[in-house]
Amino acid sequence: MIATRHTPKRTCLGCRQVLEQHELVRYVLAPDGELLVDYRHRLPGRGVYTCMNPQCIRQAVQRRQFQRAFRRELLAIDPERLNAALRAAIETKIISLVGMARKSGIVLSGARLVLDALAMPGQIAIVMLAGDVSAGIADKVVASASYRGIPIWRLLDKEQLGRMLGKEERSVIALKTGALAESVKTEVLRYKQMAGEI
């Protein structure tokens, strides 16, 4: 008989839905009573959870669910600040994963290389386009990626994209298909949930 692996479940403080722990955002209290986002589930102390949904965070704050869960008064909780902290944590995770992908040799950078790879089906899993890329390059990359059904993430600027790769400015980068690219796609979808389309 094969043993099934137990995955812990937790309840969202906002919508009260029970989900697997890794699908939820964890929060812990700092010693001074400030509520902290623990996106990677690594901080010590008792944790409480919400869905990765701005509405659930707002509901949890409005209904004073964080205070109830921790059984104490907390410093003032601003749902917009929590959302911003969560978006920043997701962005940091994406940058970290792209750094790992670069070391693994599965990142292409520069419009010409990316466009050439996009012309070959099955090569590219996700495209990252700088927010300040020229309209001409953006139009070509978006058209090619959209035609192939490849997701496009547009958030950082050229300098930030380049820095992520340890290079000078980059207007577009792409990740080849594989496990790391799938992890990046998961994080991008989470970011979109929190921030809207990017």
Side-chain angles (χ1 to χ4, degrees):
M1 183 171 153
I2 298 171
T4 56
R5 189 173 164 218
H6 172 71
T7 52
K9 296 188 184 297
R10 297 291 182 265
T11 302
C12 170
L13 293 180
C15 68
R16 308 306 297 169
Q17 187 177 4
V18 177
L19 295 168
E20 291 186 6
Q21 184 174 306
H22 69 87
E23 297 178 83
L24 298 165
V25 183
R26 182 174 187 260
Y27 304 86
V28 297
L29 282 184
D32 66 359
E34 182 184 1
L35 188 66
L36 303 175
V37 173
D38 179 21
Y39 185 65
R40 295 197 180 200
H41 296 219
R42 290 182 180 169
L43 295 176
R46 182 169 185 270
V48 298
Y49 299 82
T50 69
C51 293
M52 289 194 205
N53 182 323
Q55 186 58 34
C56 286
I57 294 171
R58 276 192 291 276
Q59 284 178 353
V61 171
Q62 288 166 358
R63 296 175 185 165
R64 296 181 52 81
Q65 293 295 341
F66 289 106
Q67 287 86 342
R68 285 189 185 94
F70 286 113
R71 297 186 182 93
R72 61 173 282 189
E73 280 303 311
L74 309 179
L75 296 178
I77 303 171
D78 176 4
E80 295 311 314
R81 187 193 65 78
L82 288 180
N83 284 336
L86 180 52
R87 288 193 307 270
I90 296 170
E91 189 177 320
T92 298
K93 178 85 180 281
I94 291 168
I95 291 168
S96 171
L97 287 168
V98 170
M100 290 169 58
R102 178 183 59 84
K103 289 175 184 171
S104 300
I106 63 165
V107 175
L108 298 173
S109 69
R112 179 47 42 211
L113 271 178
V114 171
L115 285 167
D116 287 349
L118 285 170
M120 297 180 282
Q123 294 288 308
I124 300 298
I126 186 168
V127 172
M128 297 184 175
L129 202 56
D132 56 349
V133 66
S134 72
I137 291 173
D139 290 346
K140 288 177 187 172
V141 172
V142 169
S144 184
S146 298
Y147 176 74
R148 302 255 181 233
I150 296 169
I152 302 163
W153 180 49
R154 193 166 184 163
L155 179 68
L156 304 175
D157 61 29
K158 289 189 281 191
E159 184 184 341
Q160 290 169 311
L161 274 186
R163 199 175 329 127
M164 195 162 51
L165 300 178
K167 298 178 182 287
E168 294 179 1
E169 290 185 352
R170 287 293 183 269
S171 57
V172 58
I173 66 173
L175 274 67
K176 296 178 185 176
T177 52
L180 271 173
E182 291 307 309
S183 294
V184 171
K185 282 164 76 171
T186 297
E187 297 303 324
V188 167
L189 288 173
R190 287 177 173 176
Y191 193 97
K192 286 183 176 183
Q193 276 181 272
M194 297 309 300
E197 285 300 308
I198 53 175

